[in-house]
């Protein structure tokens, strides 16, 4: 299967977790009816993006949000990258976790954000995920009938090594539930997606919450798809909405053949390894 219809769901996130799950459900039904194969929700779509909220909204794997995302996939017979949600473990450590479900609602992927978003930009955005979150330790690639897809969360995508390791594991597409802000978004969002796409000759897909200027963290929005050639195939604005796009995965092979980068690496001189 070389063509995949993906949907970006740039939803509004509010305080009520169950209202957020309902909003996601409404969008997922709609994009499935319009023929989408795989839908993507934003980073931390069950809670306003605020460190204090994460432990309060956190759930064990298999609890309400997990079940609800799995049901959305199953009832609509689509692959679903469930943005991310705060997940807690038996030691009460909290992670920023993305779950992926197949068309039968089976959990086929899980990524815990590996690089925590700790920044302090003078005159701009400050944030410290490590106040309440613990980083994950895995590089994540999941399998579909459309081939292998890499998955990471927002700040993770700033680290070129991680994207390259996903590609070394076979990814031709990389999906990134994300939430840039009004300091880093205008400066780096497009550039980061285009850079990772060119470096790795992949489709790079970012899905963000819509912008809420009254929220504790103002999301940049602008959910995006960049091509293996580095073009922006599509970019949303800041408002709530969705977009379905067809991606041709043979285009990845074409670009990799015409402009060989992955195959032309000097592995006798340097090497990147997963530990
Ligand atoms: N929210 C993030 O993890 C990252 C982000 O906003 C940025 O890198 O900028």
């Amino acid at each position: 299967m070389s063509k995949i219809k993906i949907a970006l769901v740039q939803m509004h996130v509010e305080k009520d977790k169950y209202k957020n799950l309902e909003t996601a459900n409404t969008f997922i039904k709609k994009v499935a009816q319009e023929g989408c194969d795989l839908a993507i929700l934003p980073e931390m779509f069950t809670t306003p993006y605020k460190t204090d909220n994460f432990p309060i909204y956190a759930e064990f794997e298999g609890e309400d949000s997990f079940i609800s995302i799995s049901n959305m996939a199953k009832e609509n017979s689509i692959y679903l990258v469930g943005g991310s949600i705060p997940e807690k473990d038996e030691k009460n450590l909290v992670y920023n976790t993305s779950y992926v479900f197949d068309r039968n609602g089976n959990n086929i992927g899980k990524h815990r954000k590996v690089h925590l978003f700790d920044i302090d930009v003078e005159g701009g955005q400050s944030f410290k995920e490590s106040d309440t979150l613990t980083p994950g330790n895995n590089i994540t690639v999941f399998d579909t009938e459309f081939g292998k897809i890499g998955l990471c969360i927002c700040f993770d995508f700033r680290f070129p090594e991680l994207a390259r390791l996903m590609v070394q594991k076979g990814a031709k597409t990389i999906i990134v539930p994300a939430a840039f802000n009004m300091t880093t978004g205008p400066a780096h969002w497009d550039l980061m997606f285009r850079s990772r796409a060119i470096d790795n000759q992949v489709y790079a897909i970012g899905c963000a919450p819509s912008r809420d200027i009254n929220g504790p963290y103002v999301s940049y929005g602008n959910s995006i798809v960049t091509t293996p050639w580095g073009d922006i195939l599509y970019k949303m604005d800041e408002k709530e909405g969705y977009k379905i796009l067809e991606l041709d995965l043979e285009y990845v092979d074409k670009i990799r053949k015409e402009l060989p980068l992955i195959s032309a690496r000097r592995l006798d001189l340097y090497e990147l390894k997963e530990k």
Side-chain angles (χ1 to χ4, degrees), residues 92-203:
N92 257 337
L93 297 175
V94 180
Y95 304 88
N96 183 340
T97 301
S98 180
Y99 292 108
V100 185
F101 297 91
D102 69 10
R103 296 182 191 275
N104 298 313
N106 299 316
N107 180 213
I108 55 162
K110 172 178 180 177
H111 181 76
R112 286 173 169 168
K113 193 176 195 175
V114 169
H115 304 91
L116 295 183
F117 179 47
D118 287 356
I119 68 163
D120 186 12
V121 180
E122 191 182 341
Q125 184 71 50
S126 296
F127 207 84
K128 199 159 180 240
E129 277 189 325
S130 64
D131 277 345
T132 57
L133 295 182
T134 299
N137 292 313
N138 288 100
I139 292 143
T140 308
V141 172
F142 60 93
D143 253 318
T144 69
E145 73 244 38
F146 306 98
K148 292 187 192 295
I149 298 180
L151 175 68
C152 65
I153 302 174
C154 204
F155 201 55
D156 280 338
F157 209 39
R158 286 187 178 268
F159 298 81
E161 296 90 342
L162 190 73
R164 177 48 60 88
L165 284 167
M166 291 189 247
V167 169
Q168 288 183 181
K169 285 170 169 269
K172 291 186 179 178
T173 302
I174 297 179
I175 293 178
V176 191
F180 268 35
N181 51 74
M182 298 310 294
T183 302
T184 61
H188 299 155
W189 178 257
D190 294 8
L191 199 55
M192 178 180 76
F193 279 92
R194 295 191 67 197
S195 307
R196 292 298 91 75
I198 298 170
D199 293 345
N200 294 293
Q201 305 180 297
V202 291
Y203 286 103

